[in-house]
Amino acid sequence: MKLGAMSISLAVKDIHKSKIFYETLGFSVFAGEIEKNYLILKNGNALVGLFQGMFENNILTFNPGWDESANKLDDFDDVRTIQKHLKANHIKLESKADENTSGPASILFFDPDGNAVLIDQHV
């Protein structure tokens, strides 16, 4: 499967402190709005999302249709195709995409250790 760009979405307590910390590691702000309590930082191909007050736990995020610079990919697996594959392999989905639609949609599920995995398609 082609899942697109991969990032970690971190539930942070203080977005300003977290921003400084990750900038010290060589990351720079790529997207987001600190005033709205979210930032996406980038270091090479690595992406880290900082989210204050939006969710409780960290989330592994994949973006079908995007590369790590948010450039649209011509060749990717639509989130609904990924969803069908997961269902066929008995992966329990916490949230589902409407299979009668196209374009942006997302699905959420957990790995065997309870880590949240978000497939978040923006195209």
Side-chain angles (χ1 to χ4, degrees):
M1 279 189 296
K2 296 177 183 174
L3 299 175
M6 181 262 187
S7 63
I8 185 80
S9 299
L10 301 176
V12 301
K13 294 176 183 162
D14 184 325
I15 196 165
H16 297 279
K17 285 182 181 178
S18 294
K19 176 182 179 284
I20 292 167
F21 175 82
Y22 283 96
E23 286 175 335
T24 301
L25 294 179
F27 284 82
S28 58
V29 173
F30 174 69
E33 296 181 47
I34 201 163
E35 301 81 17
K36 292 186 178 179
N37 291 327
Y38 81 98
L39 291 173
I40 309 300
L41 292 96
K42 187 174 178 188
N43 181 337
N45 293 338
L47 297 167
V48 174
L50 306 177
F51 298 86
Q52 182 178 321
M54 294 186 182
F55 45 84
E56 289 185 37
N57 298 311
N58 300 331
I59 303 170
L60 184 61
T61 304
F62 295 93
N63 300 114
W66 274 3
D67 68 11
E68 66 278 356
S69 296
N71 294 313
K72 186 177 181 206
L73 299 171
D74 292 327
D75 187 26
F76 67 95
D77 290 337
D78 185 85
V79 66
R80 293 152 199 86
T81 301
I82 295 167
Q83 176 173 284
K84 287 177 187 175
H85 173 80
L86 296 173
K87 287 169 131 180
N89 285 277
H90 311 289
I91 304 281
K92 180 184 175 207
L93 300 175
E94 295 298 315
S95 68
K96 301 174 187 171
D98 182 345
E99 293 182 9
N100 297 313
T101 63
S102 63
S106 63
I107 58 177
L108 176 71
F109 54 97
F110 294 92
D111 76 5
D113 295 300
N115 299 302
V117 179
L118 175 66
I119 310 290
D120 192 18
Q121 180 174 309
H122 297 279
V123 294

